[in-house]
Amino acid sequence: VFLGSETEPSEEHQYRAYAQAVHALEGRPLTIRTLDLGADKLWAASPTDHAERNPFLGCRSIRLCLQNLPMFKTQLRAILRASNEGPVRIMFPLISSIMELRQAKMILHDVMEDLEEQGVPFRRDVPVGIMIEVPSAAIQAKTFAKEVDFFSIGTNDLIQYTLAIDRIDDEVAYLYDPLHPAVLRLIQLIIQAGQAADIPVSMCGEMAGDPRFTRLLLGMGLTQFSMYPSSILEVKDCITRCSKHEAQQHVESIIACNDLQEIHGRLDNLNQDNKRRR
């Protein structure tokens, strides 16, 4: 909606796009991530009018929204109006602190009050969740779980921020590894926090759609995977052929490893064991 436009999309334009998606899902829930511009998602009409030295660590995603409230409120109005057409969930990206989350929720409630005063129909019980993409949020997952309805683990950013590696920089991209023990332990923290609070935890990013990691993630307790359509069949095949109990038995030994090569070896063994059972 934003990247395809040279000007800021109007509330009506956004509402029509969201409503169309809601209707296409025929009763299945639509999760709408609020504006996630910045870093590698550049927009011609971006309100940031200066070049940032390090855009991945700069004013992007929820930070950009909180600094541009009229634009943020316009999108929230459109999302809430679309919620009257069917089940919708709102997801805030790149949340790094409880204060950011509470600010975003406060603005959402302000928009709800405005719509109520204007007599515009919407659903007040729209579930609100966050993308966990930075280590600070992963470490505080238990605290966040008390204030949201669901988590989505954004692995692409979580890995690069945890390992201090720009994944699009060819000189250091070889260090980008989803199986780094620090990454696996953060993912485990998030999943366990979601389970303890009885809220859904999903995963997006390349890791979720890579069948090499499917059995490991199942063993860690992940049950919701978000991926490109081209990955669905292979990942689904892994899931249907995997024993969750056996995968769980392997997980603890993999998570306990501090040697990256050993982790890769143990995961290869887990995947080979499942292939031999076919």
Side-chain angles (χ1 to χ4, degrees):
V1 175
F2 282 80
L3 293 177
S5 176
E6 293 185 357
T7 59
E8 182 181 333
S10 67
E11 177 184 328
E12 194 62 28
H13 177 77
Q14 293 184 61
Y15 163 71
R16 288 197 300 268
Y18 303 149
Q20 182 180 7
V22 170
H23 294 154
L25 287 173
E26 299 179 339
R28 294 182 293 272
L30 171 68
T31 302
I32 302 179
R33 175 171 52 180
T34 59
L35 197 58
D36 196 15
L37 293 175
D40 56 344
K41 299 185 187 76
L42 302 177
W43 177 41
S46 174
T48 300
D49 58 1
H50 63 279
E52 295 183 284
R53 292 184 178 181
N54 193 333
F56 281 97
L57 299 178
C59 187
R60 56 174 295 208
S61 303
I62 195 65
R63 301 168 184 175
L64 183 68
C65 291
L66 293 176
Q67 292 187 26
N68 295 274
L69 294 186
M71 180 178 68
F72 191 29
K73 287 184 174 182
T74 296
Q75 185 185 29
L76 292 175
R77 284 178 61 94
I79 295 173
L80 288 171
R81 287 175 59 194
S83 73
N84 195 53
E85 307 292 330
V88 168
R89 306 193 309 172
I90 296 175
M91 181 167 67
F92 298 127
L94 206 75
I95 293 291
S96 60
S97 71
I98 291 294
M99 181 178 294
E100 277 182 334
L101 172 61
R102 289 175 179 169
Q103 283 181 292
K105 288 170 66 177
M106 181 179 66
I107 293 164
L108 175 62
H109 292 150
D110 288 346
V111 172
M112 287 180 172
E113 290 180 3
D114 290 342
L115 291 174
E116 280 184 339
E117 289 177 3
Q118 295 163 12
V120 178
F122 69 95
R123 294 188 180 183
R124 246 201 182 276
D125 59 348
V126 172
V128 174
I130 61 171
M131 289 196 74
I132 298 188
E133 304 169 85
V134 296
S136 62
I139 292 168
Q140 283 194 291
K142 282 187 178 180
T143 303
F144 281 109
K146 299 174 184 177
E147 304 212 10
V148 297
D149 299 304
F150 64 93
F151 285 156
S152 176
I153 307 172
T155 54
N156 291 350
D157 273 338
L158 181 62
I159 295 167
Q160 79 166 353
Y161 288 132
T162 301
L163 303 182
I165 296 166
D166 185 346
R167 55 192 165 93
I168 62 175
D169 185 335
D170 292 337
E171 292 187 11
V172 295
Y174 71 96
L175 295 169
Y176 183 91
D177 195 325
L179 294 180
H180 191 287
V183 173
L184 294 182
R185 289 167 194 172
L186 288 178
I187 292 173
Q188 187 180 47
L189 272 179
I190 300 165
I191 294 173
Q192 290 176 342
Q195 291 173 335
D198 196 27
I199 63 171
V201 179
S202 64
M203 177 181 286
C204 64
E206 294 173 12
M207 189 176 184
D210 191 329
R212 292 176 300 166
F213 307 126
T214 302
R215 295 173 183 86
L216 173 64
L217 294 171
L218 282 171
M220 294 172 74
L222 188 72
T223 57
Q224 297 185 19
F225 297 71
S226 174
M227 66 197 71
Y228 289 112
S230 58
S231 301
I232 290 175
L233 289 179
E234 196 169 1
V235 171
K236 183 178 179 180
D237 182 63
C238 289
I239 292 172
T240 57
R241 294 177 182 272
C242 176
S243 165
K244 187 176 179 180
H245 176 69
E246 291 181 9
Q248 286 173 334
Q249 291 179 322
H250 286 83
V251 162
E252 289 306 319
S253 65
I254 291 174
I255 297 284
C257 288
N258 291 312
D259 184 278
L260 193 52
Q261 287 185 325
E262 186 178 351
I263 291 175
H264 277 271
R266 286 175 181 262
L267 183 60
D268 288 342
N269 290 337
L270 173 61
N271 289 335
Q272 287 300 322
D273 286 345
N274 278 273
K275 287 181 180 179
R276 284 194 286 267
R277 294 192 185 97
R278 293 186 179 184

